[in-house]
Amino acid sequence: MALSFKKQLINYLSKRNFKSQNAFTLVELIVVVVIIGILSSIAIPSFQNASEKAKQKEASSIIASYVKAAQAYYTEYSTLARSPRDLSEYVSVNYCRHNDPKTCKSDPNAVRQLTTTRTNYIWRSPSGNYRILHSTRSSEMINFLAYPHNARSGLAVTGCYNTRTGATRVMERPGNQPGNPSYINC
C-alpha cells in the first residue's frame, strides 16, 4: 500500500503544472529594495537631527535660566549682571572642568559651581556639549551664547536681556544652520 501511495504522489507531482505566480519576480524584488532605500535615506537624517535638537534643548534651558537670572539681578540691583557670580545669586551656574563631553558625563567630580567675577567669561555646560559665553554688549544689554562643543555637530542657542525695554529673548539656531551663534537684539 505504501508503494502505491508513493507512485500516486510521484505521478501527481510530475503532472502538476507549476505556475510562476507563486514567487516574486526579480523586478518586484528590485522595486522593494529601491523603496526601502528611499525610505531609509529620508529617515536616517531625521534621526541624526533629533539628537542634535535634544542637545540644543539642554542649552536652550540653560540660557533661558541665565537670562531670567540676569533680569532678576537687574530688578534688584538696577545694574547688569556682569559676571557668572552675579547670576549665581538666582540660578546655579555649574560648569564642566574637562574639554571632552564624555569625560564630563563619566567623571563624578567634573561638574563644579562657577563663582568667578570675570566679565565676558566663557565656560562649559555641565554636560560638556556647549561652551557658554556671558557677554555685556552695552550698558543696557547682555547676551548669552551657547556654542556647540563641535561646530559641525550641534545647534547653537543665543539669549539676551535688554534693561531699557525689559525684553528677554532666547533663540535656537535652526537645524539647517549648524555652527556658532551670533549676537541678537532684544
Side-chain angles (χ1 to χ4, degrees):
M1 174 130 162
L3 192 56
S4 67
F5 176 73
K6 287 181 184 178
K7 283 184 183 179
Q8 287 177 350
L9 181 62
I10 292 173
N11 280 340
Y12 170 76
L13 291 175
S14 65
K15 293 179 183 177
R16 186 173 159 211
N17 187 9
F18 288 102
K19 297 180 181 178
S20 63
Q21 294 176 351
N22 293 339
F24 293 111
T25 65
L26 182 61
V27 173
E28 290 171 332
L29 289 174
I30 290 173
V31 167
V32 168
V33 168
V34 168
I35 290 172
I36 291 172
I38 291 170
L39 292 175
S40 65
S41 70
I42 293 169
I44 290 173
S46 296
F47 292 133
Q48 289 172 339
N49 194 22
S51 72
E52 289 178 4
K53 290 299 268 182
K55 289 178 187 174
Q56 186 183 39
K57 290 298 179 190
E58 174 218 359
S60 183
S61 167
I62 291 170
I63 295 298
S65 66
Y66 292 162
V67 168
K68 293 297 181 190
Q71 186 179 28
Y73 186 87
Y74 182 79
T75 301
E76 188 168 335
Y77 296 106
S78 299
T79 185
L80 283 177
R82 298 196 180 277
S83 72
R85 177 179 256 166
D86 295 341
L87 296 174
S88 67
E89 290 186 38
Y90 303 96
V91 68
S92 180
V93 181
N94 294 325
Y95 74 102
C96 178
R97 60 189 182 97
H98 299 290
N99 286 328
D100 181 28
K102 290 178 185 175
T103 308
C104 292
K105 294 170 188 161
S106 63
D107 181 3
N109 299 318
V111 178
R112 296 191 177 164
Q113 180 128 11
L114 183 64
T115 57
T116 185
T117 57
R118 292 176 51 194
T119 59
N120 295 339
Y121 193 69
I122 297 175
W123 66 93
R124 287 178 209 85
S125 66
S127 69
N129 290 328
Y130 283 86
R131 291 173 294 147
I132 298 171
L133 168 65
H134 172 217
S135 174
T136 306
R137 289 189 50 208
S138 68
S139 63
E140 59 188 33
M141 191 175 304
I142 188 168
N143 270 112
F144 297 95
L145 293 95
Y147 298 87
H149 174 74
N150 180 352
R152 283 180 250 123
S153 67
L155 302 171
V157 178
T158 306
C160 68
Y161 169 59
N162 187 328
T163 61
R164 186 172 45 86
T165 63
T168 61
R169 183 174 171 199
V170 176
M171 188 175 84
E172 296 178 348
R173 182 167 278 198
N176 59 357
Q177 297 177 5
N180 292 331
S182 58
Y183 290 110
I184 59 173
N185 292 320
C186 292

